[in-house]
């Protein structure tokens, strides 16, 4: 009946539901007092990039910017009037020049993006101000920052103060200098500085003192940030790195959040297992094939720079999908990792992907050796002779290590295409016929099918293609005569629990019909 | 011993109630999903009527040149309804499709092929001719091909046997790697010898309850866009136009 639009609507419904839940939680939160001004020390971007093996210098900071947008949205919904973001400190200029330039370019890019948003009228409830020693920034960045400030000057709503080239020590000295100059200029008043004179000249005089300072990255210090203004502030540290900061972290102190998020994760796992239990009342596919499409588009969509950035994100999806299939109890899973047509890509890109595959296989070998992969058997199918030596050897090693395992059989399909498979199978079966003197020199279908790369698994019941594309792209067209072909608009790294559940529900609806077809054959 | 029995009975009863509960939840979940499909189907039907009436601007013209070869896969239940098949072919002819491959797994349409060709004016049987076959009377008409499961795996096996014979003719068949005999182009040629069409369809419309190619020749299916159209009994002109229009907007990378 329907094509992939239905999943798009399903995930819209899901997002809508999550938004309603979130607003409800905020309403409950707002019964008590809400901080007038929250300051964020956005620490941990570089550690995040290292943790997730993101290659580029600004990769962690890009992920951090996504966090910024979420945090500002939540603060707006909770109706916090002032938010300060510690973006770049004076001390950070001492980093590698290349890294500093990268961060500055990223800031410029995001400011220009925000200016466009503001001009199109999407930022009516946000007023952005930049404070700090703006003369330390390059001309373009300074001009862009000033432009954004002008464009949002009239806006009412959340005031966001972005601290760049800022440090408390510099601020205090600057304030003293400024107030001295004013005193000299102003002949009448006595030549004595008061606290109020100095505070008037501080960068942060435009906002009240922060009620709450949240530092991510698990560090317990203020790092030369607003030490003057935070005498009465609650200083809260969370172990989460800045790009990992989420809704629940805004709620409580460190220990409680740690336990709270553990509870939350445990709750989600129980919910998930329960959903799977319900799903398993009906028939479950014996073999699910995944065409993992959309990695490159994902990288482009999120502006991830490295050639393999999208594929790395894709690998994370692979681990989740295998985990879910194991929990549901699907016996066979096939993953279309790399096709023969993909060798036609740029040599640099192909090499990048091969290196990534090697890295992940070696990681999996380590897991297998430490005994963490008891329930998984990994097989590589396809023309392995087209792979480089190291990769081929690693693949064979992983196959040997997991050979005895019982549980989910994950077939990773590399250097494969249906047309190549059919031709190779014919060749192999012909050669076998010639060698085997006794049997008549006529090929049967079983002879050819025995020699196919995919002879080790039964035909797939369900083929799931991510990326919103309607074709099989030379993948298992021979074996999928009775398969339900399901496409989802989500890109492969975005594929999640609900997409899988939806596909299986669809399979269950059509199961009787497909069984009938099989019997007719 | 005696105290164990009521405990076992109780736990098995609880287990049964638990299973019943899960069962009900599963059925409820499927009811919700079915409702979703019904509502979705209603919206699609409305959109389809709007397209048929020409109300939606973007579907009023379709760049049919991009669609060189269309395949239509019919479930066997629907293939029996020849009148509907003829109506579909007439619609396709109106839209401007030049070449159609009709597939049903059991070959029922092959049996009715004369009747179909007669009932669709301007239609001819597609012969396995050269790549370009633009005869003047073909320009207005529609060339129809009838395909069934026997053209899929069995045909490939027949072609494989031809390749086997060629391979045996080489001087040392056991030692020869077969690079001169076993390539994709050789297999294409062998399939032609067996009487198969090797043209690759650009778009495939599936009429049936499920989006599955039901055994369409695997060798030809490689890069074909597969679109599920629903049941043939309730087929709509608007949906057909929408599917073809969407195809003309598709961009293929071919793996690159």
């Amino acid at each position: 009946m329907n094509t992939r639009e239905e999943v798009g609507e399903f995930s819209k419904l899901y997002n809508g539901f999550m938004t309603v839940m979130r607003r409800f939680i905020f309403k409950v939160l707002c019964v008590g007092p809400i901080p007038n001004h929250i300051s964020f020390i956005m620490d941990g971007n570089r550690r995040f990039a290292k943790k997730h093996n993101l290659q580029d210098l600004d990769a962690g900071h890009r992920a951090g910017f996504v966090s910024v947008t979420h945090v500002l949205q939540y603060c707006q919904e909770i109706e916090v009037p002032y938010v300060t973001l510690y973006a770049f400190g004076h001390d950070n200029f001492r980093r590698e020049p290349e890294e500093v330039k990268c961060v500055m370019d990223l800031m410029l890019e995001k400011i220009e993006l925000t200016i466009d948003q503001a001009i199109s009228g999407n930022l009516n409830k946000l007023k952005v101000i930049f404070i700090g020693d703006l003369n330390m920034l390059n001309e373009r960045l300074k001009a862009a920052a000033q432009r954004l400030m002008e464009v949002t000057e009239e806006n009412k709503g959340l005031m966001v103060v972005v601290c760049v080239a800022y440090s408390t020590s510099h601020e205090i000295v600057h304030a003293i200098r400024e107030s001295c100059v004013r005193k000299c200029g102003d002949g009448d008043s006595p030549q004595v500085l008061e606290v109020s004179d100095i505070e008037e000249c501080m960068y942060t005089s435009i906002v009240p003192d922060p009620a709450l300072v949240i530092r991510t990255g698990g560090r317990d210090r203020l790092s030369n940030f607003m030490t003057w203004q935070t005498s009465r502030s609650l200083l809260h540290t969370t172990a989460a790195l800045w790009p990992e900061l989420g809704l629940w972290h805004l709620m409580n102190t460190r220990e409680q959040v740690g336990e709270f998020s553990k509870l939350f994760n445990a709750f989600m796992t129980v919910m998930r297992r329960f959903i799977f239990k319900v799903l398993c009342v009906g028939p479950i596919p014996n073999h699910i094939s995944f065409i993992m499409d959309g990695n490159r588009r994902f990288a482009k969509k999120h502006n991830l720079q490295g050639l393999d950035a999208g594929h790395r994100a894709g690998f994370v999806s692979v681990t989740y999908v295998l985990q879910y299939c194991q929990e549901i109890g699907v016996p066979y899973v096939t993953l279309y990792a790399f096709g023969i047509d993909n060798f036609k890509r740029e040599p640099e890109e192909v090499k990048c992907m091969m290196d990534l595959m090697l890295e992940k296989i070696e990681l999996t070998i380590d897991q297998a050796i430490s005994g963490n992969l008891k329930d998984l058997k990994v097989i590589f199918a396809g023309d392995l002779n087209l792979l480089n030596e190291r990769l081929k050897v690693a693949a064979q090693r992983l196959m040997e290590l997991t050979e005895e395992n019982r549980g989910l059989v994950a077939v990773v399909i590399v250097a494969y295409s249906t047309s190549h498979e059919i031709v190779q199978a014919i060749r192999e079966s012909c050669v076998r016929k010639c060698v085997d003197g006794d049997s008549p020199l006529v090929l049967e279908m079983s002879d050819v099918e025995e020699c196919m790369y995919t002879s080790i698994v039964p035909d797939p019941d369900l083929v799931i293609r991510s990326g919103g594309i309607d074709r099989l792209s030379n993948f298992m067209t021979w074996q999928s005569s009775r398969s339900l072909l399901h496409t989802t608009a989500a890109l492969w790294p975005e594929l999640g629990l609900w997409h899988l559940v939806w596909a299986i529900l669809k399979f269950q609806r059509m199961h009787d019909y497909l069984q009938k077809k099989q019997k007719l054959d | 011993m005696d105290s164990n029995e009521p405990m076992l009975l109780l736990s098995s009863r609880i287990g049964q109630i638990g299973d019943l509960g899960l069962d009900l939840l599963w059925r409820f979940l499927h009811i919700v999903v079915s409702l979703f499909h019904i509502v979705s189907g209603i919206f699609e039907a409305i959109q389809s009527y709007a397209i048929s009436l020409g109300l939606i601007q973007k579907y009023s013209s379709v760049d049919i040149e991009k669609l060189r070869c269309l395949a239509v896969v019919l479930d066997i239940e629907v293939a029996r309804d020849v009148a509907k098949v003829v109506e579909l072919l007439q619609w396709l002819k109106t839209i401007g499709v030049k070449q159609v491959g009709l597939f049903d797994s059991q070959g029922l349409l092959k049996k009715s092929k004369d009747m179909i060709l007669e009932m669709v004016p301007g239609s001819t049987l597609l012969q396995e001719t050269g790549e370009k076959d633009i005869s003047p009377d073909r320009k207005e008409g529609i060339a129809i091909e009838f395909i069934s499961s026997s053209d899929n795996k069995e045909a490939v096996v027949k072609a494989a046997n031809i390749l086997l014979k060629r391979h045996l003719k080489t001087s040392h068949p056991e030692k020869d790697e077969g690079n001169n005999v076993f390539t994709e182009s050789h297999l294409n040629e062998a399939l032609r010898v067996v009487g198969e069409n090797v043209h690759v369809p650009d778009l495939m419309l599936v009429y049936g309850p499920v989006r599955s190619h039901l055994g369409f020749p695997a060798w030809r299916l490689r890069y074909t866009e597969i679109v599920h159209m629903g049941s043939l009994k309730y087929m709509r002109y608007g949906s057909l136009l929408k599917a073809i229009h969407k195809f003309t907007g598709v961009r293929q990378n071919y793996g690159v």
Side-chain angles (χ1 to χ4, degrees), chain A residues 153-189:
Chain A
E153 201 172 349
E154 302 300 313
N155 292 352
K156 305 269 170 267
L158 171 63
M159 184 186 311
V160 179
V161 178
V162 184
C163 302
V164 280
Y166 174 94
S167 74
T168 272
S169 39
H170 177 89
E171 181 185 32
I172 294 172
V173 169
H174 166 89
I176 293 174
R177 179 185 328 150
E178 217 16 68
S179 47
C180 286
V181 166
R182 283 192 200 178
K183 276 288 172 187
C184 297
D186 179 12
D188 296 334
S189 62

Side-chain angles (χ1 to χ4, degrees), chain A residues 232-370:
Chain A
R232 312 241 181 286
S233 315
L234 169 57
L235 309 174
H236 172 68
T237 305
T238 167
L241 303 171
W242 176 252
E244 295 166 351
L245 193 82
L247 181 61
W248 300 106
H249 295 101
L250 285 182
M251 290 196 35
N252 259 310
T253 66
R254 174 175 22 172
E255 291 85 31
Q256 288 179 359
V257 171
E259 273 152 35
F260 198 87
S261 65
K262 274 187 215 155
L263 266 173
F264 184 69
N265 283 337
F267 174 70
M268 292 305 281
T269 307
V270 166
M271 281 302 299
R272 188 179 71 237
R273 297 260 168 93
F274 179 70
I275 291 167
F276 288 164
K277 248 197 138 116
V278 173
L279 207 61
C280 289
V281 169
I284 293 296
N286 190 39
H287 173 186
I288 304 182
S289 278
F290 292 93
I291 302 180
M292 311 192 288
D293 194 20
N295 288 337
R296 295 190 294 174
R297 275 176 281 162
F298 179 83
K300 197 166 170 195
K301 182 171 164 183
H302 294 269
N303 256 323
L304 306 173
Q305 293 302 328
L307 276 177
D308 62 359
H311 300 291
R312 282 185 185 277
F315 182 75
V316 176
S317 247
V318 165
T319 56
Y320 282 131
V321 161
L322 289 179
Q323 181 191 352
Y324 298 155
C325 289
Q326 221 167 14
E327 287 178 6
I328 297 173
V330 178
Y332 297 95
V333 166
T334 308
L335 302 162
Y336 190 20
F338 197 82
I340 287 183
D341 291 333
N342 300 143
F343 279 111
K344 290 188 245 156
R345 293 181 179 173
E346 294 293 328
E348 217 176 83
E349 194 185 333
V350 174
K351 180 181 184 310
C352 220
M353 287 182 69
M354 293 291 140
D355 290 341
L356 176 66
M357 250 195 274
L358 179 64
E359 180 193 316
K360 296 303 176 193
I361 293 176
E362 287 176 343
L363 189 83
T364 320
I365 288 174
D366 292 335
Q367 290 283 316
I369 292 174
S370 350

